[in-house]
Amino acid sequence: MGSLRYLAALALGVSVPAAAQDAPPQDGETLNEIVVTAQRSGAPMWIAETDRGTVILVGEIREVPKSTPWYPDRLELATRRAQRVTLGIKPKISPGDIFRLLFAGGKMTKLPKGTVASDYLDEDRRARLAALEKRYDQDYSRKSFLITSFDLLSRRVGLTRDTGKDASDVVKKAARRADVPSEPVGTVRGEDLLDSLSEAPPESHLPCLDAAMAAAEQGPDLVEQRGLDWRASDIPAVMNNPLEIALSRCWPWTDAEVATELRGQWLAAIGEAAGSEGVTLAVVPLRMLAEEGGVLDTLVKDGFSVDGPAWRE
């Protein structure tokens, strides 16, 4: 059950608050100083200038390793000086959704009754999965392919091991402490997420399994390299990291309806921020920014001046 909750949080950008310290804005501080302070944090970001203000887009990856040399305190400082903050999707979970999750947990975490993984896999996939089962002393025969993929990425590759502060954690807490207006980019109904997950046939998760196995075959070094490339603002390298590829090929991003809604909410929120006065600081999933037709492409297409690292080769 914990795996399902965590996977949804990872995909949607739901954050857990992190510690921050209050600091009042300095007199005479300029817009440029806010931008420079944010950039000095080391997180990749883009600056979109508008007729009325500035939008700072922080490209986030979840589960940043503690070994990644970035400076969250500087992002905290910039947050406290912004006029507003935009964060990730907020799932609307009702008591009924929780009961549905409890009663349907087995259906979501295991393959259909009477079937095993090999019933859905071709010879190559069966051999690769068997090799990983042997390497990690695991039995994935009855687990859903999504849960198997999550286990490979989080526990075997080590995505969730020895992690530090994520950008949304830092910004959320700093904004709350400094009374900076902060809103989620939008909401997604828990019912829609559960329906999307429970109705998906096992075969729909095979691309996720393929990518997770590819990451697991390469090993834990992918985690640290992803963090270092993120810190270096080498966006193409991050996007081409097998770990990031796997995350982008797993639910809910592979559900066309849910993914379209998520992308639409982000584009609408950034478009609204572009028409607001002052500085808006938005923490956006990096893949949402850098993917083809994503937020950055859309801003450029709409005529905005966007300054920051190259997001494609």
Side-chain angles (χ1 to χ4, degrees):
M1 210 63 65
S3 297
L4 286 174
R5 286 196 297 268
Y6 175 79
L7 191 58
L10 184 68
L12 298 173
V14 180
S15 59
V16 179
Q21 300 294 323
D22 288 328
Q26 299 175 0
D27 292 337
E29 184 173 40
T30 66
L31 167 62
N32 184 62
E33 288 173 325
I34 299 175
V35 172
V36 170
T37 299
Q39 290 174 323
R40 289 178 62 230
S41 71
M45 61 189 64
W46 292 262
I47 312 302
E49 301 289 350
T50 72
D51 293 337
R52 304 185 66 189
T54 298
V55 181
I56 302 175
L57 301 167
V58 181
E60 179 181 49
I61 58 171
R62 302 294 291 174
E63 310 299 349
V64 178
K66 286 182 179 179
S67 60
T68 301
W70 78 294
Y71 304 96
D73 58 319
R74 298 172 184 174
L75 186 58
E76 292 176 8
L77 186 59
T79 300
R80 293 196 292 269
R81 286 147 171 77
Q83 275 63 61
R84 69 197 62 81
V85 164
T86 301
L87 293 168
I89 301 292
K90 181 180 180 180
K92 295 177 66 175
I93 306 296
S94 70
D97 295 331
I98 296 174
F99 280 113
R100 288 183 64 203
L101 181 62
L102 291 173
F103 285 108
K107 179 181 178 181
M108 296 182 185
T109 60
K110 296 183 181 298
L111 291 170
K113 187 176 181 180
T115 67
V116 294
S118 60
D119 295 333
Y120 301 93
L121 305 179
D122 57 26
E123 184 176 352
D124 178 65
R125 286 184 174 121
R126 284 197 297 269
R128 294 174 66 195
L129 187 59
L132 291 170
E133 287 179 317
K134 182 177 180 180
R135 178 192 299 181
Y136 298 119
D137 191 24
Q138 295 293 308
D139 180 5
Y140 296 126
S141 60
R142 285 286 299 133
K143 292 182 179 180
S144 80
F145 295 134
L146 185 62
I147 295 301
T148 293
S149 301
F150 170 77
D151 183 82
L152 289 172
L153 296 175
S154 65
R155 298 176 182 172
R156 313 310 157 190
V157 178
L159 173 64
T160 59
R161 192 180 305 128
D162 296 326
T163 59
K165 295 180 180 180
D166 292 332
S168 57
D169 301 337
V170 172
V171 170
K172 181 178 180 180
K173 187 68 173 208
R176 186 171 64 188
R177 289 285 185 87
D179 291 327
V180 177
S182 174
E183 292 291 337
V185 68
T187 60
V188 176
R189 294 194 310 160
E191 180 181 3
D192 293 337
L193 291 175
L194 292 177
D195 287 343
S196 166
L197 186 56
S198 64
E199 295 172 2
E203 295 87 348
S204 69
H205 297 303
L206 287 178
C208 174
L209 178 65
D210 289 340
M213 289 195 296
E217 287 162 351
Q218 294 194 42
D221 289 347
L222 293 176
V223 178
E224 183 174 5
Q225 188 60 54
R226 174 173 172 261
L228 292 174
D229 289 335
W230 175 80
R231 171 62 179 85
S233 293
D234 189 345
I235 309 307
V238 176
M239 299 295 286
N240 289 324
N241 185 296
L243 179 57
E244 190 68 25
I245 290 173
L247 293 173
S248 70
R249 292 183 181 174
C250 293
W251 177 88
W253 301 107
T254 49
D255 183 295
E257 184 174 344
V258 173
T260 298
E261 181 177 357
L262 298 179
R263 292 184 178 99
Q265 290 190 5
W266 269 113
L267 289 170
I270 300 303
E272 182 178 345
S276 302
E277 292 184 356
V279 178
T280 300
L281 194 151
V283 182
V284 190
L286 185 62
R287 77 175 69 99
M288 191 73 70
L289 286 169
E291 67 184 352
E292 186 172 355
V295 171
L296 292 171
D297 282 351
T298 301
L299 288 173
V300 172
K301 181 180 177 181
D302 290 345
F304 289 101
S305 174
V306 178
D307 181 37
W311 56 93
R312 276 200 296 279
E313 292 176 307

